[in-house]
Amino acid sequence: MPSAAHPSAARITLHPDFRRGTVDRRLFGSFVEHLGRAVYTGIYEPGHDAADSHGFRRDVADLIHELGVPMVRYPGGNFVSNYVWENAVGPVEQRKPFLDLAWRTVEPNLVGTDEFLQWAEREGVEPMMAVNLGTRGVDAAAALVEYCNGEAGTSWADLRIAHGRAEPYGVKLWCLGNEMDGPWQIGHKDAHEYGKLAAEAGKAMKLVDPSISLVVCGSSNMQMDTFGAWERTVLSYTYDLVDHISMHAYYEELGGDRASFLASGTAMDRFIDRVVASADAVGAERRSDKKITISFDEWNVWYNESRFGGEENLPIQRDAPRIIEDVYSGLDAVVVGDLMVTLLNHADRVPVACLAQLVNVIAPIMTEPGGEAWRQPTFHPFATTARLARGSALDVRVDAPTYTTPRHGDAPLVTAAATVDDDGTLALFLTNRSDQAVEVDLAHAGATLGLAEGWQMVADHEPAVEGPEHAAKVAEACWSGVDVASVVAPAQGGATRVRLAPESWTAFAGTLARG
Ligand code: AHR
């Protein structure tokens, strides 16, 4: 637990001219995989009272809008590495179920490419598609791009038209496989095998549609033995072709090590710096002016080691089984808010990120089949950040005491990120990882600062229990508006002092203008 020996004020310096980069809306993306109940009884449940005429749940879509997600990655995840997309297009009654080996689940193929893309279009979210580079290759990947984006007059585009969709979908962002460095991946490859395949598949996909952007797989996490060498090798094959390299990271409290868990944002920060350094090293060697950016297309709190027994131990199941439906606490939500602080602080190199996942599977939105849909505690910091963060991420200077964690070494007790819009609208996000309240001085020399509204998530100490009542109880206890007048006061030298609750994440909306 963070030491109580550092309740003293941290200092945070803000100026509207110190800008790190534009906040790309795709930073607030999410992810729907054919896994457990993400699709079936998640976004899609024909027969449910809230189902629309296409069988998709309106109550879930409404929560997705409230969450502020502008982009959704699909269809996997590990699932994509054994997916035969052709079997899930065309007349539904002719589609056959298949055994998905990634999650050992019988996939009924009722929702496929067309159903997902049309749902995304109706809901106004951008689709981010992944192709199977596990069991399949160049041909299937290029065919899928043609099916989605091709104009009439070629076989795959004409098949889409025959299936009732005349207009191309115009999918812009494509993942070249998923976690191909992971031995658990169906069709796992070494870096050279994958790098060559990704280069050839990507080349063919771009020949079909030169307007698309490509994400090449980076490491599945920073602990992989091949981390670093993997990035270097795959980029040596794909540097000139791809736009982004992927990062995935999940965090959990292990063995009661709350201090390290609260410092997950610091671990994410170092991970991003190392991937950026690896990509830039490849660029430097090639004397290239091009910068590869990051698609952090899976991130979240996931009790993977401590609660999930591993996919290889799952029995073969059908009918949308409950798989990795983690129930989150206020503490988890504080960590999620803090991970978003890290993402905003890398807005210059991280334009795309996906909270993994969106519904039921390690998700901010939960449903009961035939029942209600509700928000997990993690929903609140995500939705608030997506709503407030606008314009440019500032280069915020944080001078804060550090504490020592068993897993991540020294980490700051206070973290901060801020954005400003052209009209001077400010969003400020602050995490206090200490178990004591701290006072933080916001120095803003040369600028006028106003804090108008605030929202706060505090960690709880209750073990998580299942169900919507629990989520409501945690939200009631941990999530609240901030009475700004009672926590903000003038400080020396024209600074503004803010009091942050113990183990908390706080967002302020206000103004920051020159002068
Ligand atoms: O999000 C759950 C799984 O985590 C994804 O399928 C995989 O890509 C990652 O290991």
Side-chain angles (χ1 to χ4, degrees), residues 31 33-35 73 75-80 102-103 178-179 184-185 220-221 248 250 297-299 302 304 311 324 356-357 361-362:
F31 174 33
E33 176 168 9
H34 281 263
L35 193 189
R73 179 171 176 249
N78 297 340
F79 173 84
V80 78
W103 301 105
N178 176 72
E179 293 189 351
W184 59 86
Q185 202 68 213
S220 300
N221 59 65
H248 292 180
Y250 294 100
D297 44 50
E298 290 185 32
W299 70 270
W302 175 12
N304 184 8
E311 54 269 39
I324 52 174
Q357 300 194 4
V361 175
I362 42 173

Side-chain angles (χ1 to χ4, degrees), residues 221-271:
N221 59 65
M222 201 169 59
Q223 283 67 50
M224 298 299 292
D225 288 343
T226 49
F227 175 62
W230 174 273
E231 278 73 7
R232 221 172 37 247
T233 306
V234 302
L235 284 175
S236 73
Y237 290 102
T238 59
Y239 197 90
D240 295 330
L241 180 79
V242 302
D243 303 274
H244 316 287
I245 185 161
S246 74
M247 292 179 65
H248 292 180
Y250 294 100
Y251 302 94
E252 68 189 295
E253 183 178 350
L254 283 168
D257 180 5
R258 194 170 175 103
S260 297
F261 182 47
L262 277 159
S264 299
T266 298
M268 182 193 242
D269 189 62
R270 291 177 190 152
F271 186 15

Side-chain angles (χ1 to χ4, degrees), residues 52-76:
D52 64 19
S53 57
H54 306 273
F56 285 82
R57 284 182 64 157
R58 195 58 267 148
D59 55 344
V60 173
D62 289 345
L63 284 175
I64 293 170
H65 292 305
E66 187 185 321
L67 189 64
V69 163
M71 185 191 72
V72 177
R73 179 171 176 249
Y74 175 87

Side-chain angles (χ1 to χ4, degrees), residues 271-293:
F271 186 15
I272 294 173
D273 284 347
R274 287 171 190 161
V275 174
V276 167
S278 302
D280 286 353
V282 178
E285 225 172 87
R286 303 168 81 87
R287 297 165 191 82
S288 172
D289 291 329
K290 175 177 175 178
K291 291 276 186 229
I292 300 288
T293 55

Side-chain angles (χ1 to χ4, degrees), residues 66-128:
E66 187 185 321
L67 189 64
V69 163
M71 185 191 72
V72 177
R73 179 171 176 249
Y74 175 87
N78 297 340
F79 173 84
V80 78
S81 297
N82 70 158
Y83 188 44
V84 182
W85 68 266
E86 299 92 318
N87 291 343
V89 294
V92 174
E93 56 288 355
Q94 287 170 24
R95 298 182 198 170
K96 296 193 174 47
F98 93 100
L99 177 58
D100 161 41
L101 301 177
W103 301 105
R104 297 172 55 76
T105 301
V106 178
E107 162 58 46
N109 277 332
L110 301 175
V111 171
T113 301
D114 289 289
E115 287 79 15
F116 173 76
L117 291 177
Q118 288 170 26
W119 169 79
E121 195 171 73
R122 286 193 303 276
E123 298 306 334
V125 295
E126 181 185 342
M128 174 185 193

